[in-house]
Amino acid sequence: MVDAANPQLASQQDEQRQFICGVIEGFYGRPWTTEQRKDLFRKLKKLGMDSYMYAPKDDYKHRAYWRELYTVEEADHLSGLIAAAKEAGIVFYYALSPGLDMTYSSQKEIATLKRKLDQVSQFGCEAYALLFDDIESELCKSDKEVFQTFGNAQVSVTNEIYLHLGRPKFLFCPTQYCVTRAVPTIQESEYLNTLGSKLNNEIDILWTGDKVISKTITIESIQEITEVLRRPPVIWDNLHANDYDQKRVFLGPYTGRSPALIPHLRGVMTNPNCEFFANFIAIHSLAFWSRCNMDSKMNSSLSADIKLETENEDEVPVEFLSKNVYHPRLALKNALTEWLPEFFVEREAWGPITKPQPQVQMVMPIIPIIPSINTCMSLTTTTTTTSTNTRTVPEVNTTQLQALADVCSTVSSAMTPICNPVMNSLVSPTKVITNEEIINPIPTTAASNIELPKKIPISIVPVPIMEAKNVDPSLEDSLDGEEAKQEDIAIEDEKTRDLEPVTSSLCVDTMLDDNSLSPLSAGINEPMECSSSLASQVSPKEEEDEQQQQLQTPKLIADDVLMESVNDVHIMHVESSASSSLSNAEMREDEQIIKNNEPCSAGSKINVEDLSLLSDLFYLPFEHGSRGLKLLSEFNWLKSNANVLLQSSGDANKEWLQRCGAYDDLCASVQELLIKIAGCENKEICHELYSYVWDISGALSLLNGYVKWLALGQFPQNMASYTEGSYTWFSKGWKEAFMSGDQEPWVFRGGLIADLQRLMPVDSANDLFIYKLPEQPTSNYYLLRPFCSRDEQEVNDVCTRAYLECSPDLHDDDANDQIPVLPANVINIVADALVGAHLTLDSKFCIVAYDGNESIVGYACASLDVNLYHRNWELCWLPELREKYPKSLIDQDDANLVGNGKLQRLIHSFVDKFHHSTEPLEICPPAEVTSSFPAVMCAATTKEADQQDNGIAKRMLTVLLAALRANGCFGVHVCVPEQNVEQVNFYTKIGFVDVYREESRHCIYLGRRF
């Protein structure tokens, strides 16, 4: 092109053009709503930012159905958005992603593209973008006859569109959009050099840095790409993007990019979290950064004098207050202060909590990490379950890293995912386009530059439906001026479009996995913005070919697919990436924060310190916040030094107990944060953030419950030999790999939540970290601790109630489902028979769950050796039962049982078994069971607790299994009557499998390893 031939002239033109600074709505998953976008424009104006790009990957007419013109209703909404942006002084970039199936040499296709953009120009749009990311780099047959290379094809179309639109502000996203995507290198990439030499120089090119998500971006790297592109790039910054991980939201400040970069760039646009209200810090700190020309690390006089401990103090050094100096911690502090008022703006939100990111299912086989190919949601990247009993400290190397990235849990808001929806956010926040209305695209493209095992099935990525959120317009933040009136829009008649018709819904041959109920299909994608949904992968034009391919594709095996284990979040000091440890000053500061936090009621208001804690828990992709690190390091210290408790006394013993108490306080502060978020006035923020804090509160309840069990000192001296083996944050090389930025962050799926869960000494138990999200925010949350003697009657009540509830033969059809009441003299007969021996003879292996009122809602009890348990049961416990419940009870008629023969028969059956009149209550299990599952256990929860939190049984079991493992046990079993379906289902839900059936007694032995 003529402009590209004179780099010096281009440089002068760049200096005259305004620096672009703004937000890209470019993630996969649920798009933002129209009202949220208008709210964003007002915020951008207030912060002095100037640009917004409309590019939601799953808004269906942006990518999957880019050819379709907007309807009158859609046009009304889009023109309203453009008018609102103009009113706020924000440049509205309308982006299209036609690269999935566009034929570049087809004049019909180019005419279709022009028609679509001409329609948008009628809405008042004056800035555009064409995005060619995450697509195949192979030309079709007809394109190969016209264009020499893929780059030439894109350049030809883009230049023609640019001139057709009258040379407006224009952004271009290349297929090779970061260093690791450049083939073979930046300097030698034919594609990038073609863009530099032939793409109109007034068109700005987007670039993500060294990687899709770059930890740092240096001046040297920008100078290198500028030389090749012959223009400075606009950074598409994915630092805060979270659409690749349902367990992570990024609330840390903009960092890793010196303001000294600004003169070398055309602009920076952040592609942030899927959750709209979670992006205040990302946007606010970027705005602060854009107004600076240096950061604190560049000023040697500052870095020499300023110590890390001063960063969190109220009095920040004067040098930090300079408008020209950027300091991430100061930027974070300012952002948190200005974010706080939004929590008190009354907004309503309805419907169950759902995650905006695509849900992920991953395949089992381990694929070696190839950084240049791996993407945020590439379905070629898998996470697997790592299980080992090795006694040596695990080490990390690049070939093991995929296994190390094994994540510990996932929360799925819907165990039956919806079928590949794409959204229509212009019309409604809940508008979902499904295959009932238009053809639902199924991916067929494959990564052209990665070699996959031939038999690895690739799963789909369904997108959760957004729930309705109605906001009173009077509650919106108001700024000066009224919204500009929308111009009359001429919409072309649908019948006159020169488009290929969409005919009927595609019939896709799918197979449902028995466990996940999710349809499976083979497909690979490489999304830049860090995730993917099926709707984004293939356009309607390819559906006919797709149908033929489906008929020839062999069906997948259900056993090859499993739910991704991600529990499924973060610090390092952003100023120093070389160190992972907390300074003593920070430790003291955190302890002081905990000390100063007075216990608060559920009605307490959230404050800046709470938001600071929230940020620490969900910091940045390559960093955990200071208190996030403390949660990891303190638990590891308590677990590693628990042997001091086996000493009768001493300073070491006192130190351990003191730090145990401090850890309990720190966990309690997270619990209080959950309660405050559940009770905040802004229910939209509550719905967006609650699930993340709920996840981490659940992880901490496990760790804190286990620490409290350790405090009892009921473990052998060689406990460490039983609890080592898992890859954790403290395995050699793990945190270094996490913090280095050498790997994309989706390799470490789950973030801080997963790192916390991995510290629990249970292997082969990832299923215990899969919970269903609560449907509504609630301040009711259950915690765990070891059983103590005062709990006995409450545990008995839970046991009795659970047994009677799951015994349908005790309920009359007309009894309104009421639980029968046992007479006072035998009120504990059921509990004494089922759980009494555990509580009396071996209570050290009993974990209870309790609510905010300290009431017991569940228990899980066990004994290490079932043979020893039965011997003690016979010698010690059975005589007690016979004395407490004499055989004469069978012959007595209790007035309270008149008319309730079923309940009377139940009591008589227990008494009869106590006295061995028919068959004993307890029989030692066969060797087939005890050889692999030597421990025996029982557990129960109240129905109300299970409905409130159906993961409570799993969490109790996790702590119990960790306690058993600390004592050298790796298998546990239960024995249940085969006719008791509810009990069988209860234990099956928490991971027990059928290991032996005793036909003579009509009972089933269920067991699990850990």
Side-chain angles (χ1 to χ4, degrees):
M1 286 302 302
V2 293
D3 294 335
N6 193 338
Q8 184 176 1
L9 176 60
S11 178
Q12 293 174 354
Q13 292 172 343
D14 288 334
E15 291 178 2
Q16 297 172 359
R17 289 192 284 176
Q18 183 180 358
F19 183 82
I20 298 171
C21 188
V23 174
I24 301 173
E25 184 184 350
F27 47 81
Y28 290 88
R30 187 173 68 217
W32 296 334
T33 68
T34 297
E35 288 307 312
Q36 287 173 340
R37 291 164 182 149
K38 291 179 179 179
D39 185 30
L40 173 65
F41 301 156
R42 295 191 286 269
K43 287 183 170 67
L44 295 180
K45 177 183 179 180
K46 183 179 179 181
L47 293 171
M49 304 172 84
D50 60 18
S51 300
Y52 162 81
M53 183 192 293
Y54 173 85
K57 284 293 186 286
D58 290 320
D59 232 348
Y60 82 115
K61 289 187 179 179
H62 162 74
R63 183 174 173 93
Y65 300 90
W66 62 269
R67 295 177 180 84
E68 294 193 16
L69 296 180
Y70 290 106
T71 65
V72 174
E73 183 182 12
E74 294 164 346
D76 183 57
H77 284 276
L78 186 53
S79 60
L81 276 179
I82 295 171
K86 282 185 178 180
E87 182 181 353
I90 303 301
V91 178
F92 186 101
Y93 285 90
Y94 175 82
L96 274 184
S97 296
L100 286 173
D101 62 348
M102 182 178 185
T103 303
Y104 299 96
S105 58
S106 169
Q107 289 303 311
K108 181 180 178 181
E109 292 279 76
I110 296 175
T112 299
L113 184 56
K114 289 178 180 178
R115 181 182 299 108
K116 179 68 169 281
L117 296 176
D118 282 343
Q119 184 193 31
V120 176
S121 70
Q122 295 177 35
F123 305 159
C125 186
E126 298 174 348
Y128 303 89
L130 284 181
L131 311 182
F132 293 100
D133 55 307
D134 308 333
I135 62 174
E136 287 290 348
S137 58
E138 193 69 29
L139 290 173
C140 66
K141 182 178 180 180
S142 58
D143 283 340
K144 288 180 180 178
E145 296 174 356
V146 178
F147 300 110
Q148 186 175 2
T149 67
F150 191 59
N152 282 311
Q154 291 182 358
V155 165
S156 175
V157 171
T158 304
N159 284 339
E160 184 171 348
I161 294 297
Y162 175 69
L163 295 176
H164 171 78
L165 293 172
R167 306 169 74 94
K169 293 181 178 179
F170 207 96
L171 293 172
F172 173 89
C173 182
T175 306
Q176 297 178 19
Y177 51 78
C178 62
V179 173
T180 54
R181 301 290 174 116
V183 180
T185 65
I186 289 180
Q187 295 291 345
E188 298 175 1
S189 169
E190 181 183 32
Y191 175 83
L192 293 176
N193 278 284
T194 298
L195 297 184
S197 61
K198 296 184 178 181
L199 187 67
N200 192 306
N201 208 72
E202 294 178 8
I203 297 175
D204 293 312
I205 300 178
L206 295 159
W207 186 252
T208 67
D210 289 348
K211 298 186 179 299
V212 177
I213 302 174
S214 301
K215 181 179 181 181
T216 60
I217 298 178
T218 64
I219 293 177
E220 292 75 18
S221 67
I222 294 302
Q223 289 173 336
E224 183 181 19
I225 189 61
T226 297
E227 180 181 351
V228 173
L229 297 180
R230 304 190 185 186
R231 74 203 77 192
V234 175
I235 296 299
W236 174 311
D237 210 323
N238 288 316
L239 182 65
H240 287 87
N242 74 330
D243 53 359
Y244 55 90
D245 196 334
Q246 289 195 342
K247 297 296 158 215
R248 307 187 74 178
V249 60
F250 300 114
L251 305 178
Y254 192 70
T255 189
R257 296 101 169 96
S258 169
L261 279 170
I262 293 175
H264 301 271
L265 297 172
R266 267 291 289 128
V268 175
M269 300 184 75
T270 178
N271 177 46
N273 297 288
C274 298
E275 294 82 2
F276 174 77
F277 289 99
N279 290 318
F280 192 94
I281 297 170
I283 297 171
H284 191 282
S285 57
L286 173 59
F288 184 11
W289 176 89
S290 69
R291 297 190 295 269
C292 300
N293 56 26
M294 63 181 298
D295 61 10
S296 57
K297 290 184 289 184
M298 292 182 60
N299 189 325
S300 59
S301 64
L302 294 185
S303 58
D305 298 332
I306 304 304
K307 302 300 181 184
L308 188 58
E309 54 265 33
T310 66
E311 295 169 10
N312 288 318
E313 294 178 359
D314 293 334
E315 295 183 6
V316 180
V318 176
E319 294 87 344
F320 282 13
L321 300 179
S322 170
K323 294 182 179 179
N324 297 324
V325 177
Y326 181 73
H327 193 275
R329 297 290 281 269
L330 179 60
L332 175 60
K333 181 178 180 180
N334 292 340
L336 292 175
T337 302
E338 295 196 27
W339 191 25
L340 180 62
E342 292 211 8
F343 285 78
F344 301 99
V345 177
E346 292 188 6
R347 296 177 187 267
E348 293 300 325
W350 290 275
I353 297 173
T354 58
K355 292 281 190 178
Q357 304 97 327
Q359 298 177 34
V360 182
Q361 294 180 357
M362 307 303 288
V363 295
M364 188 66 178
I366 299 174
I367 301 176
I369 292 173
I370 307 175
S372 61
I373 303 304
N374 195 355
T375 66
C376 295
M377 185 66 79
S378 173
L379 297 182
T380 65
T381 302
T382 66
T383 54
T384 64
T385 300
T386 300
S387 175
T388 175
N389 293 331
T390 178
R391 300 294 177 259
T392 59
V393 178
E395 296 187 7
V396 178
N397 58 52
T398 55
T399 58
Q400 293 173 323
L401 196 52
Q402 189 65 55
L404 294 176
D406 161 38
V407 287
C408 296
S409 65
T410 186
V411 173
S412 176
S413 59
M415 297 311 291
T416 306
I418 61 176
C419 186
N420 313 335
V422 283
M423 311 297 292
N424 190 346
S425 66
L426 290 175
V427 174
S428 166
T430 59
K431 180 66 174 178
V432 178
I433 307 302
T434 67
N435 56 3
E436 295 178 358
E437 298 184 29
I438 57 178
I439 296 175
N440 204 5
I442 304 295
T444 58
T445 58
S448 59
N449 46 3
I450 184 170
E451 207 172 300
L452 291 178
K454 294 181 180 179
K455 295 185 179 180
I456 293 184
I458 306 299
S459 63
I460 69 159
V461 186
V463 183
I465 299 179
M466 180 178 178
E467 300 302 328
K469 293 185 178 181
N470 294 340
V471 181
D472 186 346
S474 65
L475 298 177
E476 289 287 332
D477 296 335
S478 60
L479 295 175
D480 294 338
E482 299 179 355
E483 285 196 11
K485 294 183 178 179
Q486 299 178 7
E487 298 179 1
D488 293 336
I489 304 167
I491 307 296
E492 296 190 30
D493 193 313
E494 298 281 330
K495 296 180 181 179
T496 63
R497 299 180 194 170
D498 187 18
L499 294 174
E500 296 182 6
V502 178
T503 54
S504 59
S505 297
L506 175 65
C507 177
V508 181
D509 186 16
T510 61
M511 181 199 72
L512 292 181
D513 178 88
D514 291 336
N515 297 322
S516 66
L517 300 180
S518 173
L520 310 173
S521 70
I524 303 169
N525 59 48
E526 295 188 353
M528 177 172 89
E529 293 75 11
C530 315
S531 186
S532 146
S533 78
L534 288 192
S536 309
Q537 304 312 308
V538 176
S539 73
K541 186 182 177 184
E542 295 176 333
E543 296 298 343
E544 188 173 344
D545 294 338
E546 166 70 21
Q547 188 172 8
Q548 296 301 320
Q549 292 178 12
Q550 289 288 334
L551 296 175
Q552 300 173 9
T553 302
K555 291 191 174 183
L556 305 178
I557 304 302
D559 293 340
D560 290 336
V561 182
L562 68 157
M563 286 299 294
E564 179 196 14
S565 293
V566 180
N567 208 356
D568 289 348
V569 202
H570 316 290
I571 147 175
M572 298 320 316
H573 306 308
V574 293
E575 298 82 79
S576 173
S577 60
S579 172
S580 64
S581 60
L582 281 73
S583 67
N584 292 333
E586 276 193 303
M587 287 290 196
R588 289 195 299 270
E589 177 199 0
D590 292 334
E591 289 170 5
Q592 189 63 34
I593 289 169
I594 297 168
K595 197 174 183 181
N596 293 338
N597 277 344
E598 295 295 330
C600 60
S601 65
S604 297
K605 302 296 184 182
I606 197 165
N607 55 44
V608 172
E609 179 52 42
D610 295 319
L611 297 186
S612 178
L613 172 60
L614 182 65
S615 174
D616 272 351
L617 298 176
F618 303 97
Y619 203 63
L620 288 170
F622 307 99
E623 306 176 66
H624 294 322
S626 60
R627 276 165 284 188
L629 276 184
K630 187 169 185 179
L631 286 166
L632 291 167
S633 60
E634 283 299 288
F635 176 83
N636 188 62
W637 185 92
L638 290 166
K639 185 178 75 170
S640 302
N641 293 277
N643 279 349
V644 301
L645 297 173
L646 302 180
Q647 306 170 11
S648 57
S649 62
D651 293 339
N653 194 315
K654 292 178 181 178
E655 181 188 5
W656 195 98
L657 294 175
Q658 288 174 352
R659 294 178 74 162
C660 175
Y663 195 77
D664 186 40
D665 290 340
L666 184 54
C667 293
S669 68
V670 178
Q671 178 67 24
E672 291 294 343
L673 175 63
L674 179 72
I675 294 172
K676 290 181 178 182
I677 289 178
C680 77
E681 287 88 339
N682 192 327
K683 296 306 178 185
E684 288 195 78
I685 293 181
C686 173
H687 267 62
E688 289 190 348
L689 296 179
Y690 181 83
S691 62
Y692 293 101
V693 186
W694 184 87
D695 279 339
I696 204 164
S697 295
L700 290 175
S701 71
L702 299 176
L703 272 62
N704 200 26
Y706 183 65
V707 167
K708 290 178 179 179
W709 179 83
L710 287 176
L712 301 178
Q714 301 290 342
F715 51 83
Q717 191 76 34
N718 64 338
M719 175 184 67
S721 64
Y722 301 129
T723 56
E724 289 178 359
S726 298
Y727 288 110
T728 72
W729 177 259
F730 301 96
S731 298
K732 186 176 180 181
W734 173 269
K735 59 185 173 185
E736 291 80 7
F738 174 86
M739 294 162 46
S740 67
D742 293 339
Q743 300 294 332
E744 298 284 6
W746 57 81
V747 170
F748 302 92
R749 208 178 293 273
L752 180 61
I753 294 174
D755 282 332
L756 289 168
Q757 290 177 331
R758 272 190 286 267
L759 292 177
M760 285 298 290
V762 287
D763 288 342
S764 304
N766 282 5
D767 61 293
L768 294 178
F769 300 114
I770 301 175
Y771 314 124
K772 181 181 179 182
L773 281 174
E775 291 193 351
Q776 296 294 332
T778 174
S779 58
N780 297 324
Y781 199 80
Y782 304 116
L783 300 177
L784 310 175
R785 61 171 171 80
F787 167 85
C788 58
S789 58
R790 70 173 183 271
D791 301 326
E792 183 173 0
Q793 187 54 52
E794 288 191 81
V795 170
N796 287 342
D797 292 343
V798 172
C799 176
T800 301
R801 183 176 176 181
Y803 182 86
L804 296 178
E805 284 177 341
C806 69
S807 299
D809 56 332
L810 295 178
H811 301 272
D812 295 327
D813 295 336
D814 58 348
N816 297 323
D817 231 11
Q818 291 183 354
I819 303 172
V821 179
L822 293 171
N825 62 326
V826 292
I827 194 169
N828 288 328
I829 190 170
V830 173
D832 285 340
L834 301 181
V835 77
H838 289 289
L839 301 182
T840 304
L841 304 177
D842 212 2
S843 62
K844 67 181 180 181
F845 294 110
C846 182
I847 304 299
V848 296
Y850 61 97
D851 61 18
N853 297 320
E854 296 287 328
S855 299
I856 304 300
V857 298
Y859 67 87
C861 301
S863 292
L864 273 178
D865 186 336
V866 65
N867 293 315
L868 181 60
Y869 167 77
H870 278 286
R871 188 183 70 178
N872 292 336
W873 200 93
E874 291 280 351
L875 295 177
C876 304
W877 187 240
L878 187 57
E880 293 287 336
L881 293 177
R882 289 172 174 172
E883 181 178 351
K884 186 174 181 179
Y885 305 103
K887 197 172 183 179
S888 58
L889 286 175
I890 298 177
D891 303 323
Q892 296 176 1
D893 291 329
D894 195 316
N896 295 321
L897 296 177
V898 174
N900 196 337
K902 293 180 180 179
L903 192 58
Q904 192 169 31
R905 285 193 295 273
L906 173 70
I907 296 172
H908 289 175
S909 69
F910 274 112
V911 175
D912 187 60
K913 290 177 180 178
F914 293 161
H915 294 274
H916 289 184
S917 296
T918 53
E919 63 176 88
L921 185 66
E922 294 282 348
I923 295 179
C924 204
E928 292 90 338
V929 176
T930 58
S931 59
S932 298
F933 311 95
V936 62
M937 70 160 288
C938 61
T941 62
T942 64
K943 276 193 174 180
E944 294 80 4
D946 191 62
Q947 291 170 355
Q948 182 75 35
D949 177 6
N950 74 345
I952 186 63
K954 288 184 176 181
R955 289 202 294 274
M956 286 192 303
L957 179 62
T958 302
V959 178
L960 178 62
L961 297 186
L964 291 173
R965 179 162 179 156
N967 282 267
C969 178
F970 297 87
V972 65
H973 76 271
V974 296
C975 180
V976 297
E978 62 180 12
Q979 70 272 17
N980 196 325
V981 178
E982 284 204 34
Q983 276 198 39
V984 174
N985 289 341
F986 174 82
Y987 287 108
T988 301
K989 187 178 72 172
I990 57 178
F992 283 78
V993 296
D994 189 338
V995 294
Y996 187 82
R997 289 178 179 261
E998 198 162 26
E999 300 296 340
S1000 60
R1001 295 181 60 220
H1002 304 288
C1003 65
I1004 305 173
Y1005 288 96
L1006 303 171
R1008 73 164 295 153
R1009 300 282 295 174
F1010 50 91

